[in-house]
Amino acid sequence: MEAVSRTAQWTAAARALETEREDRLFADPYARTVADEIGFELLERYAGGGTVPFLAIRTTYLDRAIVDTVRERGIRQVVFLAAGMDTRFFRLPWPDGVTVYELDRPALLEAKAEMLAREPRPAGRDRVTVPVDLTQDWTGPLKEAGWKSEEPVLWVVEGLLFFLPEQAVRTLISTLSAHAAPGSVLLGDVISQAALDNPLARGFMKALDEDGNPWLFGTEEPEQLLADCGWAVREVRQPGEDGADFGRWPYPVPARSVPRVPRSFLFTCDLPTYEEEKAA
């Protein structure tokens, strides 16, 4: 797999460690399989700075937001961009009739298929893998795979945006809003520019760069970024804040007004329905 795709196995290793805790926040019985040995090697290489607790929090936040969104809004098509070694299709309680689309590079999807070949596919739901390069046109292949742009969609952009240059980030998020029907939802995460510049993270950033997958983008104003790209921001939370703590975050959370603080942000955005826009 391409170097950047290996990070998918690093995050899977972190999910496996959380799953094996007695007080686990979630259970991912597939995580150790898709992490493979390389995932745990990379997790050790990239360890530090709250990496493992952050990944547990991010997974839990998005797990719960995905389940709630699909249940409460009746959305039946869910698209994971840069799906990596995500196993939510297998482990989350999806309603009948949901189709999960997983977009990623061909080599990663092929490797993942081999790893999960013996796992039974849960009934009542469909999984469609779409091999694409997200820096090029991907909406065409997604439509060919069965996705309907005229129906609401749940987009999930997890662990992706910091690998892209700023213009690519803005283009991607704008594309998501432009190709989403009213009532659609966007979930994901992004980091602050200060996180990229943090002197304490130089070893981590150097290791990412040496491995061919440097982090390139951060923003101090995620709300503005998302709004500029066509989304109504419902919430942005930092690990450790209410709704994004789950008893895992070990550090204090400085107020957003404090400058030059490394931060991670978890966000939920909406594309309002016509009725909601009219009511507003």
Side-chain angles (χ1 to χ4, degrees), residues 46-176:
Y46 300 148
T51 299
V52 171
F54 167 71
L55 292 172
I57 289 170
R58 185 178 74 182
T59 300
T60 303
Y61 177 90
L62 293 176
D63 277 3
R64 297 182 184 187
I66 290 166
V67 170
D68 291 345
T69 296
V70 172
R71 183 184 68 243
E72 296 170 4
R73 303 218 170 196
I75 293 175
R76 290 299 178 266
Q77 47 183 2
V78 181
V79 180
F80 291 91
L81 292 102
M85 293 298 172
D86 185 275
T87 61
R88 290 186 174 98
F89 169 79
F90 295 92
R91 64 182 183 81
L92 290 187
W94 300 101
D96 287 350
V98 167
T99 300
V100 173
Y101 297 91
E102 296 186 7
L103 278 63
D104 215 312
R105 295 177 181 271
L108 184 144
L109 293 176
E110 291 172 7
K112 184 176 179 179
E114 292 178 6
M115 292 174 176
L116 296 173
R118 297 183 180 180
E119 299 295 342
R121 295 174 67 91
R125 66 193 77 165
D126 293 315
R127 173 173 173 258
V128 180
T129 57
V130 185
V132 292
D133 182 342
L134 289 170
T135 63
Q136 301 178 14
D137 173 56
W138 52 267
T139 58
L142 182 57
K143 288 181 179 180
E144 292 174 2
W147 168 69
K148 299 177 177 63
S149 60
E150 68 276 11
E151 297 180 5
V153 59
L154 169 57
W155 303 113
V156 182
V157 184
E158 179 184 24
L160 170 63
L161 299 182
F162 30 77
F163 289 110
L164 305 176
E166 180 173 356
Q167 188 53 55
V169 170
R170 291 183 175 275
T171 297
L172 176 62
I173 301 174
S174 297
T175 299
L176 297 178

Side-chain angles (χ1 to χ4, degrees), residues 3-15:
V4 71
S5 301
R6 290 292 187 192
T7 62
Q9 291 177 283
W10 155 44
T11 55
R15 295 199 309 272

Side-chain angles (χ1 to χ4, degrees), residues 161-162 188-192 217-219 222 225 263-267:
L161 299 182
F162 30 77
D189 69 308
V190 68
I191 60 173
S192 66
F217 175 74
T219 177
L225 168 71
R263 305 177 193 274
S264 296
F265 303 106
L266 302 164
F267 58 78

